[in-house]
Amino acid sequence: MRQIIKRAVMISALIPLLFIHAASATASDTPPLRVILLPYSNTVTLMKVHQPLRLHLQDKLQRPVELFTSADFPGHFANIRQGEFDLAVTGPHFGAWAVEHGHVALLRYRPSLSPVLAVRRGSGITGPNDLRGKVVVLSNRLSTSSLGGEHWLSGQGLIAGKDYTLKVSPTHTSAIMAVTMGEADAAITTHTPIQQSPEDIRSKIAEIVSPISLPHLFTVANSRLAAGEVSAIREALLSFEASDAGKAFFTETGYLGYTPLSVTDMDAMRPYVDMFLRNLDQ
């Protein structure tokens, strides 16, 4: 595991973490709030989607706000593991790990997260059993949807490498694109990346939803932040949800709004924390 984490950190160092900030809008001597985003899509899309959140936090907290992401999910977890963030918008399994290791649970997105199969419209694939002999692509081996999706397929008697060919793509977006371009028959993903795809992509995709239901992305504060800072960030996030920009953000992304992180959410993610840690060791 140490070797994989070390390699992930090296990858992140080689590929600069892109950030956006506007220090001129706030006091120059105020340290920036560094917000790490789960790399479920390409960096340009992530920054564009979360720009309204950045601007709102910057305004409410009166300090610069930087958004950044990692090259991939192992790199993202390496950043979380090393505490290289002030605020993390992260996968529920990564967020659960962070909370278990002392960081502060703030909120999660309101919808449930269910693995789905993205298939081409008219492909004739209507369920897992139609994947025998087909090519299935994952966003990566560490995402909640990938872990849950593989578990779903195995429960249907489908084993990767035996009943279907499994490929791995860097992001949810690239996995979905592989399906639309005919490079794969199905992608294991979630509804959110499909909804955030351009209309010409969405129009080519049909969704087959799994029965698995998990908490959506967690928002977690670093344990080094003072209690007053954490409280101010929570209030700023909730006021974002109530703002016009926030309402548009939650509608367009499909995140719908915030809800408090609960013990039930944490318990639901415990098996998936164990699963992704095992995958790191492979």
Side-chain angles (χ1 to χ4, degrees):
M1 178 172 176
R2 288 195 187 98
Q3 291 179 342
I4 293 176
I5 294 296
K6 182 178 180 181
R7 183 166 65 248
V9 173
M10 289 175 65
I11 291 171
S12 295
L14 289 171
I15 303 176
L17 299 177
L18 177 64
F19 62 86
I20 302 176
H21 67 96
S24 60
T26 57
S28 59
D29 59 347
T30 305
L33 184 80
R34 302 187 73 240
V35 182
I36 189 171
L37 304 174
L38 183 73
Y40 64 81
S41 187
N42 64 73
T43 300
V44 173
T45 297
L46 285 173
M47 298 303 149
K48 180 180 178 182
V49 166
H50 291 87
Q51 179 74 339
L53 174 63
R54 184 190 73 80
L55 292 174
H56 183 87
L57 290 176
Q58 188 163 264
D59 178 62
K60 293 298 180 181
L61 300 174
Q62 286 298 289
R63 62 187 294 188
V65 175
E66 298 176 355
L67 302 178
F68 72 102
T69 191
S70 311
D72 51 26
F73 276 54
H76 177 80
F77 180 61
N79 292 139
I80 297 291
R81 184 181 177 88
Q82 299 300 324
E84 296 170 350
F85 66 93
D86 295 314
L87 192 67
V89 182
T90 187
H93 53 333
F94 296 144
W97 183 94
V99 173
E100 288 178 353
H101 287 76
H103 297 295
V104 184
L106 291 180
L107 303 161
R108 70 167 177 86
Y109 291 144
R110 189 171 296 146
S112 60
L113 189 156
S114 295
V116 305
L117 293 173
V119 301
R120 290 186 300 279
R121 291 187 184 275
S123 67
I125 299 174
T126 60
N129 285 331
D130 296 322
L131 296 178
R132 295 184 186 277
K134 304 294 187 182
V135 176
V136 178
V137 62
L138 301 174
S139 60
N140 59 82
R141 299 303 295 270
L142 297 184
S143 72
T144 305
S145 61
S146 295
L147 296 170
E150 285 194 82
H151 179 69
W152 173 36
L153 295 186
S154 67
Q156 301 295 308
L158 296 171
I159 306 301
K162 176 184 175 183
D163 300 297
Y164 63 94
T165 299
L166 184 67
K167 294 185 176 181
V168 180
S169 188
T171 67
H172 287 279
T173 302
S174 57
I176 294 165
M177 286 293 294
V179 173
T180 63
M181 296 174 67
E183 297 172 356
D185 298 291
I188 298 176
T189 183
T190 66
H191 175 70
T192 300
I194 297 173
Q195 180 167 333
Q196 293 180 13
S197 297
E199 172 58 31
D200 63 326
I201 300 299
R202 294 199 305 271
S203 66
K204 298 175 182 177
I205 291 294
E207 297 180 36
I208 302 168
V209 183
S210 77
I212 297 171
S213 181
L214 298 167
H216 217 297
L217 300 186
F218 284 18
T219 299
V220 177
N222 197 297
S223 59
R224 67 171 170 264
L225 298 183
E229 288 182 281
V230 173
S231 178
I233 291 169
R234 187 193 302 271
E235 290 180 10
L237 291 169
L238 292 174
S239 67
F240 175 62
E241 180 181 8
S243 69
D244 289 341
K247 290 175 182 176
F249 170 84
F250 283 111
T251 298
E252 292 168 5
T253 59
Y255 293 146
L256 302 183
Y258 288 116
T259 193
L261 267 171
S262 67
V263 173
T264 300
D265 295 329
M266 292 291 295
D267 289 344
M269 295 316 301
R270 167 38 55 196
Y272 292 89
V273 172
D274 294 338
M275 288 170 67
F276 92 74
L277 290 175
R278 284 198 299 271
N279 280 357
L280 274 177
D281 286 329
Q282 293 176 358

